[in-house]
Structures are given as C-alpha cells and as structure tokens.
C-alpha cells in the first residue's frame, strides 16, 4: 500500500527548511505558510516527483529558484511562494510542470523578462506575479507573454500589478479563456491603447488597468463585458468622450475614470445603472451635470 505524505508546519516556525524533507518518499504536500522561515529553499524539494502542493508563502525565504525547477515536478498542481524575498529570474522551465493550476509568486524580488513559455501551462487557472520587477522581452513593445497565456484555456485570474512591464497590450487579449474573471495590471507602465478585442472577455468581473500610460479612447467594446462589476481606468491618458455603451454594464458596482483627459457629457442612460455604488470622474474635462436619477452611490466629480 502506498503511503501519502503531507507535511504542515504551524505555530510560527522559524529557521531554515531542512533539506531532509526532500528525501521523503511519496511526499505530496509541503505546507509551511505564515511562518518565519529563512534561508534558501533546498533545491532537493524541487526534485520530489510525487509532490502536488508546495505552499511556502508569507515567510522570509531568500535566494533564487533553480533553473531546472519544472523538469522534476510532473505532478505539481499548486505553487505558492508569494511574500518572500526570492530574487533573480523566473526559470522558463517552470512551464514543464504541466499539471500546474496555481502559480503564486507575488511580492518578491523577481526580475528579468516574463517567459513566453508560461502559455505551455495548459491547466493554469490562477497566475499571480504582482509586486516584482518583471518586464517584457525586448524584441517587441508588445507584451507577448500575454499572447502565450491564451493557450491556457481554463485561466480565471491574471495578476501582474506593480511590475515595470513597459509595453503594450496585444490584441490577442481577446482570445483569453472565456473563464477569465479578473485581470489586474495596474502600475505597470503599460502604453498604447486598450484593444477593442477586450470586449470578448465576456466573463470578466474585474478589470484593473489604473496608474498606467494608456491613451486613446475607451473602446466601445467594453460595453460587451456584461458581467463586469469593477472597472478601474484612473490615472491614465485616456481621451475622447465616455462611450454610452457603458450603460450596458448593469452589474457594474464601481467605476473609476478619474485623472484622464476625457471630455464631453456623461451619458444620460447611466441613470439606469442601479448596481453602481461608487463613481469617480474627477480630474477630467467633463462638462455636463450628473444624470438623474442615479442609485444610491458615492460620486467623486469636479
């Protein structure tokens, strides 16, 4: 009979991870989150072929991930390393962990380019790389790694915020998984325009693109995202009028368009947005008054 091994540390464990853990046969889960673990993650742990879950988030682990991290983890499904002190690049070999569904590397010091091979993770559901120093490949201004992620047909959440991506959104964003509910890429120095193909993301609930360098109009296709509840486009360089198609977003709870270069009037049909609770329009060049009636919500307007 095969014995399944699970290791869980709790009660604020301190010190380094003993490398002997990596010698345990049939180890399937290593969970030691929210502790005071320090030092490097022993490379031998990334050679345990039976492991399914590695959860070392919220510690003080340092060093870098081994270049071969994905070659010996054929059964890895969930990897949680966020909020540590890990550095250097994200190895492209991580795409060889073909069963990976959750990849959480946020709030570290990872740098270098985002590998286009991330799209090889066909079963990926959640990708969180926020709060690092990651950027795009220099061969093109387009964020090509996003195009590769369209191959992950079950993808539900993409979190890239607070990385110096310094690129443009590809039109291939419209080919993301129909399961995608959250896309977060604020504070990323994203340039160019919002592609109209973004309207294909029919299941999207939250879109966060604030604090970037986006210009041009708000695409009318945004009105096709009927499940949208939060739209955050503040502090960009968006121009033109507010498209009346936003009136189709009947589930919208919060809309922030402040600190752009928008002009003209507010669509009168916004009075039908009965789910809207927070509306931010300040620091634009809008000229009309707020339509009546509006639901009970907070408005920031000047």
């Amino acid at each position: 009979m095969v014995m399944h091994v699970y290791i869980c540390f709790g009660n604020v464990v301190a010190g380094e991870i003993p490398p002997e853990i990596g010698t345990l046969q049939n180890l399937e889960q290593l969970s030691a989150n929210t502790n005071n673990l320090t030092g490097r993650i022993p490379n031998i742990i990334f050679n345990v072929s039976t492991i399914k879950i590695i959860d070392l988030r919220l510690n003080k682990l340092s060093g870098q991930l081994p270049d071969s991290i994905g070659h010996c983890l054929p059964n890895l499904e969930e990897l949680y390393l966020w909020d540590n002190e890990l550095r250097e690049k994200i190895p492209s070999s991580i795409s060889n962990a073909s069963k990976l569904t959750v990849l959480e590397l946020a709030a570290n010091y990872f740098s270098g380019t985002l590998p286009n091979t991330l799209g090889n993770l066909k079963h990926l559901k959640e990708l969180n790389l926020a709060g690092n120093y990651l950027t795009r490949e220099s061969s093109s201004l387009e964020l090509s790694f996003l195009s590769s992620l369209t191959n992950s047909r079950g993808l539900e959440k993409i979190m890239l915020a607070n990385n110096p991506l310094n690129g443009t959104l590809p039109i291939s964003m419209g080919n993301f998984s129909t399961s995608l509910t959250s896309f977060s890429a604020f504070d990323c120095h994203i340039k160019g325009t919002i592609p109209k193909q973004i309207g294909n993301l029919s299941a999207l609930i939250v879109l966060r693109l604030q604090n970037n360098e986006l210009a041009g109009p708000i695409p009318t296709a945004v009105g096709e995202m009927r499940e949208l509840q939060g739209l955050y486009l503040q502090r960009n360089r968006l121009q033109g009028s507010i498209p009346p198609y936003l009136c189709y977003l009947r589930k919208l709870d919060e809309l922030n368009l402040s600190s752009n270069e928008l002009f003209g009037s507010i669509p009168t049909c916004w009075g039908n947005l009965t789910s809207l609770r927070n509306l931010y329009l300040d620091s634009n060049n809008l000229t009309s008054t707020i339509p009546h009636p509006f639901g009970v919500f907070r408005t920031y307007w000047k």
Side-chain angles (χ1 to χ4, degrees), residues 90-110:
I90 298 174
S92 59
S93 71
I94 202 165
S95 62
N96 291 93
S98 58
K99 292 185 179 180
L100 205 60
T101 61
V102 179
L103 179 57
E104 296 255 6
L105 303 179
N108 279 285
Y109 297 95
F110 289 114

Side-chain angles (χ1 to χ4, degrees), residues 69-293:
I69 182 172
H71 292 309
C72 301
L73 298 171
N75 293 298
L76 186 66
E77 297 175 4
E78 301 174 18
L79 178 60
Y80 303 92
L81 297 176
W82 59 270
D83 206 348
N84 277 287
E85 299 171 10
L86 299 170
R87 299 178 181 273
E88 303 299 331
K89 65 180 180 179
I90 298 174
S92 59
S93 71
I94 202 165
S95 62
N96 291 93
S98 58
K99 292 185 179 180
L100 205 60
T101 61
V102 179
L103 179 57
E104 296 255 6
L105 303 179
N108 279 285
Y109 297 95
F110 289 114
S111 58
T113 59
L114 280 162
N116 290 336
T117 53
L118 287 174
N120 294 339
L121 298 172
K122 300 294 179 61
H123 300 287
L124 194 64
K125 293 183 178 180
E126 296 185 20
L127 175 65
N128 189 353
L129 303 176
N132 283 289
Y133 297 91
L134 299 163
T135 188
R136 60 177 171 82
E137 292 188 352
S138 58
S139 58
S140 170
L141 190 60
E142 187 176 275
L143 300 175
S144 56
F145 74 91
L146 288 177
S147 297
S148 74
L149 288 172
T150 61
N151 294 321
S152 303
R153 301 312 302 164
L155 200 56
E156 298 173 2
K157 296 180 180 179
I158 301 175
M159 289 158 278
L160 304 169
N162 290 296
N163 279 290
L165 298 181
N166 289 304
T168 60
L169 298 172
I171 61 174
S172 59
M173 280 187 66
N175 297 327
F176 276 143
S177 162
T178 54
S179 302
L180 191 69
T181 60
S182 177
F183 184 84
S184 177
F186 57 86
D187 285 304
C188 288
H189 301 286
I190 296 177
K191 312 172 192 304
T193 59
I194 302 173
K196 63 181 181 180
Q197 290 79 5
I198 203 168
N200 294 344
L201 306 181
S202 57
L204 203 66
I205 294 175
V206 179
L207 176 61
R208 297 182 180 273
L209 291 172
Q210 67 265 35
N211 294 13
N212 282 298
E213 301 166 28
L214 291 164
I218 300 172
T220 57
V222 170
E224 299 173 17
M225 297 189 288
R226 304 299 171 84
E227 298 300 316
L228 205 61
Q229 297 178 21
L231 178 58
Y232 304 89
L233 299 176
Q234 68 267 30
R235 289 187 290 279
N236 277 285
R237 300 172 185 169
L238 297 172
Q239 301 164 332
S241 59
I242 299 174
Y245 296 95
L246 293 183
C247 299
Y248 295 142
L249 305 180
R250 297 301 178 88
K251 295 184 180 181
L252 199 62
D253 175 79
E254 184 163 343
L255 174 62
N256 197 327
L257 302 177
S258 64
S259 299
N260 279 287
E261 300 171 18
L262 301 170
F263 58 81
S265 60
I266 301 173
T268 56
C269 58
W270 277 16
N272 298 324
L273 296 178
T274 56
S275 294
L276 196 61
R277 293 294 176 267
N278 295 291
L279 174 63
Y280 303 81
L281 299 173
D282 56 284
S283 301
N284 280 290
N285 296 309
L286 299 169
T287 55
S288 71
T289 58
I290 298 174
H292 181 78

